[in-house]
Amino acid sequence: MSRIDEVLKALGIRRTYKGYYYVADAVRLVMEDASLLLYISKSLYPEIARLHHTTINCVERDIRTVVKRCWGSEYTDVLESMAGIPLYERPTSGEFIDILSSYLLSENIQ
């Protein structure tokens, strides 16, 4: 199991969501090239859609579903600890991907 999978599992996100795979790929891609966060809907989502043979709209919707699932559960505290700051409202999809990729990158540095 990869570290990305472990983090998603710690957030209560299971493989039963299509968005699980999209978030995992998004985090992996952003860890390789952080500039993808600047153009999520023009570069990141199209790349994930291409990898999974689906549409950009499906990718966006399914990632949003994963974020809602994580935020509306008992795993909010885990997400806040990964973010390193208090989260007063549900993060956007881009913020969620940023939190996870930054957390994993900082883990590798330490």
Side-chain angles (χ1 to χ4, degrees):
M1 177 182 287
S2 79
R3 188 64 186 124
I4 293 172
D5 293 327
E6 291 173 8
V7 167
L8 291 173
K9 187 177 179 182
L11 291 170
I13 302 165
R14 303 292 181 249
R15 293 173 189 252
T16 55
Y17 295 97
K18 281 188 207 176
Y20 173 95
Y21 301 97
Y22 302 159
V23 169
D25 283 340
V27 170
R28 181 182 50 81
L29 290 167
V30 167
M31 288 175 69
E32 294 170 4
D33 181 6
S35 70
L36 290 171
L37 284 170
L38 298 173
Y39 308 101
I40 288 181
S41 53
K42 293 191 188 246
S43 58
L44 185 61
Y45 290 166
E47 178 62 17
I48 295 168
R50 186 187 64 74
L51 290 171
H52 292 273
H53 309 290
T54 189
T55 66
I56 296 167
N57 290 337
C58 287
V59 169
E60 184 177 12
R61 180 193 62 233
D62 292 340
I63 289 176
R64 202 171 45 243
T65 299
V66 165
V67 175
K68 286 179 187 175
R69 166 68 176 97
C70 177
W71 184 254
S73 71
E74 66 272 14
Y75 300 100
T76 305
D77 293 340
V78 177
L79 182 61
E80 279 190 340
S81 79
M82 289 179 184
I85 58 170
L87 300 173
Y88 299 107
E89 56 188 34
R90 184 178 73 223
T92 65
S93 297
E95 290 168 341
F96 186 77
I97 294 164
D98 183 32
I99 289 167
L100 298 186
S101 60
S102 296
Y103 173 76
L104 287 163
L105 285 171
S106 71
E107 227 182 28
N108 290 337
I109 292 171
Q110 297 174 352

